[in-house]
Amino acid sequence: MSEQLVANELLAFLQQKLDVMDEVSAVQICASNFSEDDVAAAKQLLYRLLNKSDQMVSRRRDGTKKSIQDIITLLKETDPDDVPTFVAKDLSKLPPVTFDHVDVTCLLKDIVFLKASLADVQKQLDASQNTVASLRSEVNELRKSVAVTRSPVDASCNVNTRRGACLDVSGASFASAVLSPSPLSPPNAESAQCAPRAPSCPARVPAAPPLAAARLLDQLLVSAASAKPSGVRREYASVAGSTIGAKMKPVPVKGPDRADDDGFVMVQRRKRRQRTNKNRCGTAPIEPNIKIRAAKPNTLVYISRLHYTTKAEDIVEYVRQKLKYAPRVQLLESRHNANFKAFVVRVPTCFLHLVLDENFWPQGVVFRRFRGQVPQDRTEGHSA
């Protein structure tokens, strides 16, 4: 509704109650509580505010109810933003709306729709709660598996695990330790100890879920492949027929991508090759006796609305007087029967700012930069 406020009790009542009651009840209430003069005045006021006075129909017989029906029809057909806001100046004139005038069927439909919407929302809420509960349980299980896989080994090994020295085990024993389905050892169980003068440090690896075990195996393989041996002999494929140990055998890296002691490889961006076959521009001075000279770049300019008697030579002469330069001019043929001519003028780019100035061309001539493809010059044209 518009911000304009207009005082009229009948129009204010209809504007506010048409959304909650049917037209028949609204017509009956207004006909029994407002006089015929009030209805006629409200009708004229509404049509006048909406600038539709010429469309207003005059009612002779039973004009009250028909006029009210006309008002209701106009309010429903007009955009609410174009209708001003009607207010009541005398509240005693507003008719009361009892339960008899309310459409009970519409209310029942609204109640049924609200119940269905509420049930749908409840189902969605239950489904979301179940999803959140399952996600929480999965997160808790992942936290437990990570905590188990990160359990510290006995510090008596005195081995730098960062460089993978503690991974000097055979392939079969390593795979069986990681993928073993044995139950978890108690927290106070005796940790693995390193045997003196032994080339390897076997440790008890607790069982983990399949996904966590696979990830742990991949991480250990990567760290073992990138680690550098530090005085400890590695025997990954010591067991005959062990494919896992064969895969775990480190491969020496040659070239500039060799890893450092910590397993990191320096990555450098390759330099782009410089192009040797690129264009160059001459700088030798121009002498009078030299016939070789560089061509000046030209820009096409479109001029139109010229008199039908104008020729290309006239435009060449006009531009020569202005710029001391004779351009190439080409006539454009029109597909329609026009009473004027249009041309394309090839102007040096250095003179473009002068040619596109409004003071350059005579009054009434239309000009701009030419767009499109220039047709072949068949009939009329001039070359400098």
Side-chain angles (χ1 to χ4, degrees):
M1 290 182 291
S2 177
E3 297 180 356
Q4 181 183 2
L5 300 179
V6 180
N8 190 276
E9 288 76 9
L10 174 60
L11 297 177
F13 176 79
L14 292 176
Q15 192 176 36
Q16 298 297 329
K17 298 300 180 180
L18 285 178
D19 297 335
V20 296
M21 60 189 308
D22 56 336
E23 297 183 8
V24 178
S25 301
V27 171
Q28 293 179 356
I29 293 174
C30 294
S32 58
N33 289 273
F34 292 97
S35 62
E36 186 176 356
D37 296 338
D38 295 339
V39 174
K43 182 178 179 180
Q44 293 180 359
L45 177 62
L46 179 62
Y47 276 87
R48 180 172 55 82
L49 293 175
L50 298 179
N51 297 326
K52 295 183 179 181
S53 300
D54 53 345
Q55 301 178 7
M56 186 176 63
V57 181
S58 59
R59 304 293 184 180
R60 297 182 180 180
R61 297 182 179 179
D62 194 12
T64 303
K65 291 185 178 181
K66 292 184 179 180
S67 297
I68 296 173
Q69 187 65 40
D70 294 340
I71 294 173
I72 294 174
T73 303
L74 184 59
L75 288 175
K76 289 186 175 182
E77 292 178 353
T78 308
D79 188 1
D81 296 335
D82 298 336
V83 180
T85 303
F86 295 101
V87 296
K89 185 177 181 181
D90 189 1
L91 297 179
S92 61
K93 293 184 179 181
L94 294 177
V97 179
T98 60
F99 188 76
D100 298 336
H101 302 96
V102 178
D103 191 358
V104 182
T105 305
C106 294
L107 293 178
L108 292 177
K109 290 181 180 179
D110 294 339
I111 293 173
V112 172
F113 178 75
L114 290 176
K115 286 184 177 180
S117 301
L118 183 60
D120 190 12
V121 171
Q122 186 66 29
K123 290 180 181 179
Q124 294 179 0
L125 180 60
D126 295 340
S128 61
Q129 289 180 354
N130 295 334
T131 305
V132 171
S134 62
L135 290 176
R136 286 180 178 176
S137 62
E138 292 179 1
V139 170
N140 293 332
E141 292 178 359
L142 290 176
R143 287 180 179 175
K144 293 179 181 179
S145 63
V146 170
V148 170
T149 54
R150 291 183 179 179
S151 60
V153 186
D154 187 5
S156 62
C157 290
N158 195 15
V159 178
N160 188 358
T161 59
R162 183 179 180 183
R163 298 187 179 182
C166 192
L167 298 176
D168 297 331
V169 294
S170 62
S173 61
F174 177 78
S176 61
V178 174
L179 302 178
S180 176
S182 59
L184 296 176
S185 59
N188 56 356
E190 182 181 1
S191 60
Q193 297 181 358
C194 293
R197 299 179 182 178
S200 62
C201 181
R204 294 181 182 179
V205 181
L211 181 59
R215 292 180 179 175
L216 178 61
L217 179 59
D218 293 339
Q219 294 177 1
L220 294 178
L221 289 174
V222 173
S223 61
S226 61
K228 183 178 180 181
S230 58
V232 182
R233 185 179 180 182
R234 300 167 182 259
E235 296 179 356
Y236 293 97
S238 59
V239 180
S242 176
T243 57
I244 299 180
K247 291 182 180 179
M248 292 176 59
K249 186 176 181 179
V251 179
V253 181
K254 299 181 180 180
D257 295 338
R258 181 176 299 175
D260 56 3
D261 296 340
D262 295 334
F264 293 97
V265 178
M266 181 179 295
V267 180
Q268 296 180 353
R269 184 176 180 180
R270 295 182 179 178
K271 296 183 180 179
R272 295 183 178 179
R273 297 181 180 178
Q274 296 182 357
R275 297 177 57 186
T276 58
N277 188 18
K278 56 183 180 180
N279 296 335
R280 298 182 181 182
C281 186
T283 59
I286 301 175
E287 298 180 1
N289 56 351
I290 297 178
K291 297 182 179 181
I292 300 177
R293 59 178 180 175
K296 296 182 180 179
N298 295 332
T299 303
L300 301 180
V301 178
Y302 170 80
I303 58 174
S304 179
R305 301 292 176 180
L306 295 169
H307 198 267
Y308 64 90
T309 59
T310 306
K311 298 181 180 180
E313 290 79 3
D314 301 338
I315 299 175
V316 172
E317 184 64 25
Y318 181 82
V319 176
R320 183 187 291 113
Q321 294 177 4
K322 291 279 188 178
L323 301 178
K324 307 300 181 183
Y325 176 82
R328 295 176 57 188
V329 181
Q330 180 178 345
L331 175 66
L332 295 178
E333 297 181 358
S334 177
R335 298 180 181 178
H336 308 283
N337 295 327
N339 58 350
F340 58 87
K341 286 186 178 181
F343 296 88
V344 174
V345 183
R346 289 176 172 84
V347 182
T349 307
C350 58
F351 296 146
L352 185 62
H353 65 285
L354 299 175
V355 177
L356 295 181
D357 191 0
E358 296 179 355
N359 298 324
F360 186 85
W361 300 102
Q363 183 178 4
V365 176
V366 177
F367 63 92
R368 59 170 168 79
R369 296 187 66 168
F370 184 79
R371 296 190 297 266
Q373 185 177 3
V374 181
Q376 296 181 358
D377 190 4
R378 297 179 179 177
T379 58
E380 189 171 357
H382 185 81
S383 177

